[in-house]
Amino acid sequence: MNLPDVPPADDVTADWWDATREHRLTVQACTACDHVQHPPRAVCTACSSMDHLTLRDASGAGVVDASTVVHRAPRPDVEVPYTVARVRLAEGPILLTRLTGGNDWTIGDAVAVGWVDLPDGRALPVFHRTDG
């Protein structure tokens, strides 16, 4: 799998990226209102708190919410076709991600997280089919 350009970690995302080094998928949770969000942000998108945000381990289970097959490569070194999807995690947030294991996906397909290691030690979450 050809790797996309990945942004560097910053003050808000550093802990999330650190968890990926251990192949742990996390979501950001607000202890003030119990809202769960992804990607990590400096503010809770539900209650606007900036002081009650923490990371929580996610199960890695989800369902395909929407998907598309990319046939035109964004760069010459990227192999096509590949599938990009919105995956709704069991915890609620949606991740924009790649699906592995073919390009014949259906909305509602059950998926589980897998990992693609990056040269700098971080990893990207990708999702594959589960049996249910």
Side-chain angles (χ1 to χ4, degrees):
M1 173 184 297
N2 292 49
L3 300 174
D5 294 327
V6 178
D10 59 27
D11 290 345
V12 175
T13 63
D15 290 340
W16 187 85
W17 281 116
D18 285 346
T20 72
R21 293 174 188 279
E22 302 170 2
H23 291 181
R24 283 190 308 112
L25 182 63
T26 59
V27 292
Q28 192 177 46
C30 178
T31 59
C33 72
D34 207 32
H35 176 69
V36 181
Q37 61 192 26
H38 182 83
R41 297 171 175 90
V43 63
C44 174
T45 59
C47 74
S48 301
S49 174
M50 296 175 69
D51 301 321
H52 297 96
L53 297 171
T54 187
L55 289 180
R56 194 183 282 176
D57 283 343
S59 67
V63 295
V64 175
D65 181 273
S67 68
T68 189
V69 178
V70 177
H71 292 277
R72 179 176 272 177
R75 299 185 323 251
D77 63 329
V78 176
E79 292 180 34
V80 291
Y82 62 89
T83 303
V84 175
R86 286 176 21 140
V87 168
R88 182 171 299 276
L89 296 176
E91 293 78 12
I94 294 173
L95 272 70
L96 185 61
T97 187
R98 274 180 122 168
L99 300 178
T100 61
N103 295 313
D104 58 335
W105 293 89
T106 302
I107 292 172
D109 282 346
V111 293
V113 71
W115 298 94
V116 174
D117 293 323
L118 298 171
D120 66 2
R122 298 181 295 166
L124 288 175
V126 296
F127 287 78
H128 57 86
R129 282 182 219 285
T130 64
D131 292 330

